[in-house]
Amino acid sequence: MGDTEESKLQLLLEWLKLNGVELRGCDIKYNNSNKGFGVYSSNAATDGVLLVVPLNLAITPMRVLQDPILGPVCSAMFEEGEVDDRFLIILFLTFESIRKNSSWKPYLDMLPTTFGNPLWFSEDELSELSGTTLFKATELQKKSLRSLYDDKVKELVKKLLILDGDLESEVCFNDFLWANSIFWTRALSIPLPRSFVFPQIQEEEHNHASSTELTNGDNDKKLEVNTSSIQEETVWVEGLVPGIDFCNHDLKAAATWEVDGTGSATGVPLSMYLLSVEEACLKIGEEISISYGNKGNEELLYLYGFVTDNNPNDYIMVHYPAEAIKDAPFSQTKLQLLEAQKAEMRCLLSKKSLDHGFFSNEKETRDKVKETEVVNYSWSGQRKTPSYLNSLVFPEEFLTCLRTIAMSEDEIFRVSSLLEELVDSEGDRQPSDIEVRAAVWEACGDAGALQLLVDLLNTRMMDLEEGSGTEDSDTELLEKAVCYKNKTPEDGKSNGTNEGFKNEEMSRNKYASIVYRRGQKQLTRQFLKEAEHALQLALSESN
């Protein structure tokens, strides 16, 4: 870390202290060029409280609406539904980052200026994601952000700068893109006391309670309970919490964050604090990590700009294109049936669900599931419950969708007859979504849906491989990169950090892209194998 970064860090620490932040059992230090700054243990906090931040320092929608400059401009837009909570925070960050003499400068100067998420990829780096869901999502997000900037943000920030007396500073799209990335990489969901979020409403309710107490003086107990329930109610709000937001991610987190509304845990009422987990025996100088949640690499790369090797929370998304249904035979009837069944046209297939599949090594878990009693849901009794039902790893809501789309004319007629028979026998009523699903399954079975699923997964695999080659080629690229990355300084190459990538053809962004896309290919291959096996069983059992 250079002298400039060191001086910025000292200014941040002074700013935090000035604003009531207490670093009780930790320090903020530089990690490396990959992670940037992080939070590290400094001593053993006997109560486990490592860091305390007053909630009035958090950047939340309430702070923006109460700001003397942004508040009057944004309040009307917010009340009319023109902007949402997230927009308010991103606008605040955009404005404060270019505002002269901003009181937030010591904090903003410490935030990263480059990001590893695909919005910041070069064209060559983005091409590494070709064929993936993330590639399409990034292109759409770029267009959406550019449109939002041109249509709303640009003129709004100009207006705010003029109101602030600044006629020289100018805003550009990258200022807004930076603020957007800062929000998505650092925002937390904060469980705030209701009185903190709605102080005016709380005051009105308190005044009402006081007036009630005057007229019902002997009803103190009831009034006390009502007041307590108001204070304990929690409202979840997204926001940035300076200090805590320097914690990096780890699946095995060393700490969690909590809100102390009364001050009973920290001695600081209305504060947010970092609490070490019981399992973490922190040593002095050890990094204090938090968990960003059980997210797959697609979400980690898209939001935060990093991936995890062999991520246990990985998943793939499979969907049937809505526009394709319009071209299918009897499309209107099928759309009506889809709506009646509350069917899902897309699904997330998680890596963990494979533990219960046909090829799982988790025999005890799978056998336990198989022992579960399954009711025969065939009306006529002619179609038996499939033997493979408990080993299917695909959500029933999605299979329901595929059954309906794959239906033939005869099967549609059969479903219609079954439902008419049901309605006629029980009077004038509409069949439930469960009854419609049962009718569709009895008429169609599973083979048509599973064949369609096999086709979708094959198409997905072709798109992935056409965009970036095979799974084996990705593995070879990663092995070479890891081999290079692990070379020692004596080799004249890498110091063991991601800085080594700068002197090699493979950038950090490219490396993350290959890890992500290889995981997508692995899961697609595994789920395709599951679908093909289920299809064989369905055909053999006439399902």
Side-chain angles (χ1 to χ4, degrees):
M1 181 173 64
D3 293 340
T4 303
E5 287 77 10
E6 181 64 38
S7 63
K8 286 182 179 180
L9 176 58
Q10 291 307 313
L11 287 173
L12 171 71
L13 295 175
E14 292 173 9
W15 181 84
L16 291 172
K17 185 177 180 180
L18 184 65
N19 284 280
V21 177
E22 300 176 11
L23 280 70
R24 297 184 180 180
C26 67
D27 290 320
I28 297 174
K29 295 180 181 180
Y30 184 73
N31 187 313
N32 57 46
S33 62
N34 181 13
K35 287 187 175 182
F37 288 86
V39 179
Y40 293 82
S41 175
S42 60
N43 55 60
T46 56
D47 59 356
V49 177
L50 305 166
L51 173 64
V52 183
V53 183
L55 284 176
N56 59 16
L57 188 61
I59 302 175
T60 62
M62 296 85 71
R63 167 176 284 280
V64 179
L65 294 174
Q66 293 166 4
D67 186 271
I69 295 177
L70 282 83
V73 175
C74 295
S75 292
M77 298 171 62
F78 184 70
E79 290 171 3
E80 293 173 8
E82 294 181 25
V83 297
D84 59 14
D85 292 7
R86 292 168 175 170
F87 178 89
L88 292 177
I89 296 176
I90 294 170
L91 179 67
F92 178 89
L93 291 169
T94 306
F95 174 60
E96 291 293 340
S97 69
I98 56 179
R99 183 185 185 186
K100 292 182 178 179
N101 302 318
S102 170
S103 61
W104 293 86
K105 181 174 172 58
Y107 169 66
L108 297 176
D109 281 351
M110 283 291 291
L111 301 182
T113 55
T114 59
F115 303 88
N117 68 63
L119 287 173
W120 295 82
F121 279 16
S122 67
E123 288 188 12
D124 286 343
E125 289 170 339
L126 190 59
S127 68
E128 298 293 339
L129 297 174
S130 181
T132 67
T133 304
L134 200 49
F135 180 83
K136 298 174 184 177
T138 301
E139 287 192 323
L140 290 174
Q141 180 71 342
K142 276 186 174 180
K143 291 179 181 178
S144 175
L145 290 173
R146 170 58 75 173
S147 176
L148 182 59
Y149 173 78
D150 291 337
D151 297 343
K152 188 170 292 183
V153 175
K154 187 175 182 180
E155 292 304 319
L156 195 53
V157 174
K158 283 183 179 180
K159 180 179 179 179
L160 292 170
L161 288 170
I162 293 173
L163 289 173
D164 194 37
D166 186 352
L167 304 178
E168 298 178 0
S169 300
E170 293 185 359
V171 63
C172 66
F173 176 66
N174 268 12
D175 295 324
F176 175 61
L177 189 62
W178 171 86
N180 178 79
S181 293
I182 288 293
F183 173 81
W184 285 107
T185 55
R186 304 181 84 85
L188 300 173
S189 292
I190 313 171
L192 295 175
R194 183 173 181 266
S195 59
F196 186 83
V197 181
F198 305 110
Q200 185 176 358
I201 295 176
Q202 183 76 4
E203 184 178 351
E204 291 173 357
E205 289 177 344
H206 175 74
N207 292 336
H208 175 71
S210 299
S211 63
T212 305
E213 185 176 359
L214 290 174
T215 56
N216 299 285
D218 57 351
N219 199 19
D220 292 343
K221 185 176 181 181
K222 181 177 180 182
L223 290 174
E224 182 181 343
V225 171
N226 287 342
T227 304
S228 176
S229 66
I230 291 171
Q231 290 175 343
E232 292 176 359
E233 187 177 345
T234 297
V235 179
W236 289 86
V237 175
E238 287 180 306
L240 275 66
V241 185
I244 291 179
D245 67 344
F246 283 93
C247 289
N248 291 308
H249 165 77
D250 198 304
L251 287 174
K252 297 180 180 178
T256 61
W257 66 88
E258 306 286 346
V259 167
D260 186 6
T262 62
S264 60
T266 64
V268 183
L270 293 175
S271 64
M272 188 167 177
Y273 62 99
L274 201 61
L275 182 68
S276 62
V277 298
E278 293 180 4
E279 298 80 5
C281 298
L282 293 171
K283 300 177 182 178
I284 293 178
E286 184 177 350
E287 183 171 13
I288 301 170
S289 58
I290 59 176
S291 173
Y292 295 176
N294 297 327
K295 293 177 169 59
N297 279 341
E298 187 163 277
E299 195 171 359
L300 288 177
L301 184 55
Y302 186 63
L303 294 179
Y304 305 106
F306 66 87
V307 294
T308 301
D309 288 325
N310 300 314
N311 191 333
N313 300 304
D314 244 350
Y315 59 82
I316 61 171
M317 187 183 74
V318 182
H319 76 285
Y320 189 88
E323 58 273 13
I325 298 180
K326 298 175 182 178
D327 300 327
F330 312 104
S331 59
Q332 288 303 314
T333 301
K334 291 180 179 180
L335 285 170
Q336 291 172 1
L337 285 170
L338 287 173
E339 184 177 355
Q341 297 172 90
K342 299 178 182 178
E344 298 288 343
M345 295 185 64
R346 64 180 61 205
C347 70
L348 294 180
L349 302 177
S350 69
K351 190 176 191 176
K352 291 181 179 179
S353 68
L354 291 168
D355 291 341
H356 308 298
F358 295 110
F359 305 98
S360 170
N361 293 324
E362 305 285 339
K363 291 184 179 180
E364 292 183 7
T365 304
R366 191 176 61 177
D367 291 342
K368 186 176 180 180
V369 174
K370 281 188 174 182
E371 291 172 2
T372 304
E373 183 180 355
V374 179
V375 178
N376 186 337
Y377 47 86
S378 173
W379 291 350
S380 64
Q382 295 178 357
R383 192 181 292 281
K384 303 298 181 182
T385 301
S387 64
Y388 50 83
L389 186 64
N390 284 326
S391 294
L392 279 177
V393 295
F394 306 103
E396 176 59 27
E397 292 80 6
F398 188 58
L399 288 177
T400 294
C401 167
L402 298 183
R403 287 190 197 103
T404 305
I405 293 170
M407 286 168 62
S408 65
E409 182 178 5
D410 290 342
E411 289 168 340
I412 291 176
F413 179 77
R414 174 69 173 144
V415 169
S416 179
S417 298
L418 288 171
L419 294 176
E420 286 177 4
E421 179 183 335
L422 174 68
V423 172
D424 290 342
S425 64
E426 298 187 20
D428 187 18
R429 72 173 182 87
Q430 292 295 320
S432 68
D433 57 311
I434 296 175
E435 290 168 337
V436 178
R437 287 187 186 188
V440 169
W441 180 80
E442 176 145 340
C444 308
D446 290 327
L450 290 170
Q451 180 62 65
L452 191 52
L453 180 57
V454 167
D455 294 342
L456 288 173
L457 289 168
N458 268 319
T459 300
R460 177 181 176 81
M461 182 61 85
M462 288 173 60
D463 289 341
L464 287 167
E465 292 184 342
E466 182 180 352
S468 56
T470 64
E471 180 185 330
D472 289 341
S473 66
D474 286 341
T475 300
E476 185 178 348
L477 287 170
L478 291 175
E479 287 174 349
K480 289 180 179 178
V482 170
C483 179
Y484 170 74
K485 179 183 173 185
N486 288 336
K487 287 188 177 181
T488 62
E490 287 74 17
D491 297 315
K493 299 276 186 172
S494 170
N495 59 4
T497 72
N498 279 328
E499 288 183 356
F501 288 130
K502 294 179 181 178
N503 302 318
E504 178 70 15
E505 291 181 2
M506 183 177 291
S507 67
R508 173 191 166 199
N509 293 343
K510 181 176 178 180
Y511 182 86
S513 298
I514 297 175
V515 171
Y516 157 66
R517 79 190 188 203
R518 182 181 67 165
Q520 294 289 290
K521 292 168 188 174
Q522 286 175 336
L523 286 180
T524 302
R525 171 177 52 79
Q526 289 171 306
F527 281 110
L528 178 57
K529 186 178 179 181
E530 294 280 341
E532 288 174 337
H533 189 69
L535 176 58
Q536 291 176 359
L537 293 175
L539 291 171
S540 67
E541 297 178 16
S542 299
N543 273 325

